């Protein structure tokens, strides 16, 4: 068993493109780290450097206590699982799983033992004699996992292994991979652009943007305490609502002007973030997660001065919650980060980050999650209660969270 350490690792491709910049990661022995970020941010490049499939331009890579920068892939004791599983069509499942061991001339009975163990773990036992053409997508993916497992490597490297599967199967395989990883306790780096996989699968999540690591930590911590606007907008579905707001300080009372709405912030907000005083009279980016809003009719004792008057423009009943859209007459936050997020949402087919319908308008779409007991209707004028203690504040210039 071994951890993986990247120390100021850089990748500059031959054409001069700097795909990974000063990447520092310290992945503990047995840890499951998810590397996430929009398309082109350098995830696969980083993973391929760990695998030895791509040269490291500068920096140090350690697996266990060995520096492996110049070691060939086969000497690194890693096993990779890719998006395309590339099974051999003329071999059975058992032969496919065993292939890597056979070419290493492992004794037959040891091969049989390992194949059996992997097959049991992945519930492939009844399928061992089948050929890949007679397997479902999920079963093929499991065979690919099996091939990696029998190698008994120090490190698993997985690059979007589930992206070819349909949504339902992805949910199931997500749980299976996480379970297998826990059982084997093998250090794993898992690349995805799917923030739900990032939230649910790993011990920690590392988010990259344009080759630069933005934040790394426990998924819930990153969700609750995003370091900047990019992280806030990327982690979470629907994405965090964000709008430009102005802060006013009356003694120790903070008021947030969000378009025509004025929210009195809970006293705990300023106590926790004294630096907000510096923003009095200035603009900042205010963030609000959908679950931190509720239909005011369901919260009888909700403070009168923490409400947004809204007209609903779309209601999505998900059963467990009502997803309620409305427009806020506050300007959207438009930075390089929000543009990148909107671009990424388009390619990933996700709901776009809260943004203006047109750049000229000063309206921002907000998305709230109400309890299904709310009988809110489309086009209805309602009041939305905001849990101001759970609001997020960012410097609109740097994008950095204001939290001390
Ligand atoms: N051989 C190469 N030469 C030059 N640039 C490259 C090369 N391979 C990748 N790149 C560029 O490096 C950047 C990072 O690519 P990479 O494949 O690591 O992204 P990714 O985060 O894995 O994206 P995706 O989610 O689309 O798989 C991209 O802008 C890509 O165009
Ligand atoms: Mg990739």
């Amino acid at each position: 068993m071994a951890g993986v350490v990247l120390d100021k690792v850089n990748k500059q491709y031959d054409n001069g493109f700097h795909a990974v910049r000063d990447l520092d990661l310290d992945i503990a022995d047995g840890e499951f780290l998810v590397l996430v970020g929009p398309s082109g941010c350098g995830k696969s490049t980083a993973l391929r450097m760990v695998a030895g499939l791509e040269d490291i331009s500068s920096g140090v890579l350690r697996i266990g206590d060995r520096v492996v920068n110049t070691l060939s892939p086969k000497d690194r004791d890693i096993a990779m699982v890719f998006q395309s599983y590339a099974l051999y069509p003329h071999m059975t499942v058992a032969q496919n799983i065993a292939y890597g061991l056979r070419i290493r001339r492992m004794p037959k009975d040891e091969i049989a033992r390992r194949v059996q163990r992997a097959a049991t773990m992945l519930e492939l036992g009844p399928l061992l004699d089948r050929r890949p053409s007679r397997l479902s997508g999920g079963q093929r993916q499991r065979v690919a996992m099996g091939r990696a497992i029998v190698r008994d490597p120090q490190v698993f490297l997985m690059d979007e292994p589930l992206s070819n599967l349909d949504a339902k199967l992805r949910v199931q395989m997500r749980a299976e991979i996480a379970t297998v990883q826990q059982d084997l306790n093998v250090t794993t780096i898992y690349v995805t652009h799917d923030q739900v996989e990032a939230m649910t699968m790993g011990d920690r999540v590392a988010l990259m943007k344009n080759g630069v690591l933005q934040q790394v930590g426990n998924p819930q911590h990153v969700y609750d305490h995003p370091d900047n606007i990019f992280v806030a907008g990327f982690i979470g579905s629907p994405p965090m609502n964000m709008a430009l707001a102005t802060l006013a300080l009356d003694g120790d009372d903070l008021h947030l002007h969000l378009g025509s709405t004025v929210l009195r912030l809970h006293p705990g907000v300023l106590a926790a973030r004294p630096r907000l005083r510096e923003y009095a009279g200035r603009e900042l980016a205010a963030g609000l997660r959908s679950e931190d809003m509720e239909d005011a009719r369901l919260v009888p004792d909700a403070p009168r001065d923490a409400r947004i008057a809204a007209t609903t423009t779309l209601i999505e009943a998900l059963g467990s919650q009502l997803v309620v859209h409305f427009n806020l007459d506050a300007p959207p936050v438009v930075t390089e980060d929000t543009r990148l997020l909107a671009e990424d949402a388009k390619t990933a087919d996700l709901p776009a980050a809260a943004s203006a319908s047109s750049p000229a308008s000063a309206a921002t779409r907000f998305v709230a999650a109400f309890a299904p007991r709310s009988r809110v209707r489309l086009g209805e004028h309602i009041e939305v209660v905001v849990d101001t203690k759970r609001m997020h504040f960012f410097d609109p210039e740097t994008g950095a969270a204001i939290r001390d």
Side-chain angles (χ1 to χ4, degrees):
M1 303 295 265
V4 177
V5 177
L6 288 83
D7 187 1
K8 298 253 173 304
V9 167
N10 281 271
K11 177 65 188 186
Q12 201 153 8
Y13 282 110
D14 291 341
N15 65 359
F17 186 77
H18 204 154
V20 173
R21 286 175 190 269
D22 290 338
L23 181 57
D24 286 328
L25 281 174
D26 192 338
I27 305 149
D29 186 12
E31 187 178 19
F32 193 139
L33 180 99
V34 177
L35 192 54
V36 70
S39 183
C41 73
K43 307 180 293 293
S44 295
T45 302
L47 198 73
R48 290 169 58 82
M49 285 193 284
V50 177
L53 301 172
E54 207 70 75
D55 287 340
I56 295 171
S57 306
S58 70
V60 179
L61 172 67
R62 281 192 199 86
I63 297 179
D65 45 19
R66 293 191 301 171
V67 172
V68 299
N69 281 48
T70 56
L71 226 54
S72 78
K74 68 173 171 33
D75 296 326
R76 292 192 186 190
D77 205 359
I78 47 115
M80 270 193 97
V81 183
F82 296 96
Q83 163 179 354
S84 58
Y85 351 108
L87 304 180
Y88 297 104
H90 59 287
M91 292 185 193
T92 63
V93 167
Q95 288 165 338
N96 262 289
I97 295 178
Y99 183 74
L101 306 182
R102 273 205 359 249
I103 58 170
R104 281 178 181 73
R105 301 183 185 286
M106 184 176 281
K108 276 216 173 65
D109 50 345
E110 174 65 11
I111 294 181
R113 198 183 61 76
R114 290 194 186 194
V115 171
Q116 202 52 56
R117 172 165 155 265
T120 307
M121 196 170 265
L122 297 162
E123 292 173 20
L124 284 170
L127 304 175
L128 282 172
D129 295 326
R130 281 212 201 162
R131 289 190 205 285
S133 60
R134 294 186 49 227
L135 298 177
S136 71
Q139 290 165 338
R140 284 177 208 184
Q141 189 56 55
R142 266 186 249 152
V143 177
M145 279 287 292
R147 271 196 310 208
I149 290 172
V150 292
R151 296 269 308 281
D152 215 355
Q154 302 237 40
V155 181
F156 281 135
L157 303 175
M158 305 192 194
D159 196 346
E160 314 228 12
L162 306 184
S163 56
N164 281 341
L165 305 180
D166 65 45
K168 201 167 168 191
L169 208 48
R170 247 185 355 239
V171 174
Q172 186 190 332
M173 285 299 294
R174 200 159 82 196
E176 257 175 56
I177 290 182
T179 306
V180 166
Q181 195 276 341
Q182 270 166 25
D183 289 351
L184 295 172
N185 205 29
V186 175
T187 312
T188 300
I189 307 178
Y190 183 104
V191 162
T192 181
H193 66 260
D194 178 346
Q195 58 83 32
V196 179
E197 286 178 21
M199 275 302 290
T200 55
M201 293 182 76
D203 299 312
R204 282 191 303 161
V205 57
L207 176 58
M208 286 177 77
K209 178 192 87 176
N210 295 339
V212 179
L213 184 66
Q214 301 294 300
Q215 189 169 359
V216 55
N218 165 281
Q220 190 67 45
H221 180 85
V222 173
Y223 181 89
D224 289 335
H225 307 284
D227 279 348
N228 60 46
I229 288 176
F230 184 79
V231 178
F234 191 88
I235 299 286
S237 178
M240 184 186 286
N241 300 288
M242 259 181 260
L244 283 177
T246 312
L247 261 190
L249 188 62
D250 310 316
D252 277 340
D253 258 4
L254 268 186
H255 287 95
L256 189 72
H257 293 256
L258 261 175
S260 56
T261 302
V262 183
L263 300 175
R264 192 170 82 92
L265 300 183
H266 186 280
V269 173
L270 185 58
R273 304 176 188 78
R275 213 155 56 78
L276 277 175
R277 281 180 190 278
E278 297 168 21
Y279 288 81
R282 285 165 57 192
E283 226 169 33
L284 46 61
L288 185 55
R289 295 255 185 227
S290 59
E291 67 270 26
D292 298 326
M293 292 181 258
E294 184 56 274
D295 184 339
R297 291 168 293 195
L298 301 186
V299 195
D301 54 348
R304 298 229 64 85
D305 46 11
R307 302 182 182 206
I308 299 171
T311 306
T312 63
T313 56
L314 179 69
I315 295 170
E316 301 165 286
L318 298 186
S320 59
Q321 60 181 40
L322 289 172
V323 177
V324 178
H325 298 233
F326 58 92
N327 287 318
L328 196 72
D329 61 348
V333 178
V334 181
T335 67
E336 211 164 299
D337 282 358
T338 62
R339 273 190 222 109
L340 189 58
L341 288 165
E343 198 55 41
D344 184 59
K346 245 183 272 162
T347 51
D349 210 19
L350 290 168
S355 63
S357 31
S358 78
S361 86
T364 305
R365 180 159 52 99
F366 263 46
V367 179
F370 287 177
R373 300 185 277 127
S374 156
R375 294 281 180 256
V376 63
R377 291 183 315 273
L378 184 61
E380 194 178 0
H381 303 293
I382 56 164
E383 280 192 316
V384 179
V385 181
V386 174
D387 185 352
T388 61
K389 290 193 299 300
R390 298 193 51 91
M391 289 192 79
H392 301 258
F393 305 98
F394 305 94
D395 184 294
E397 302 299 324
T398 65
I402 306 163
R403 69 153 81 99
D404 50 355

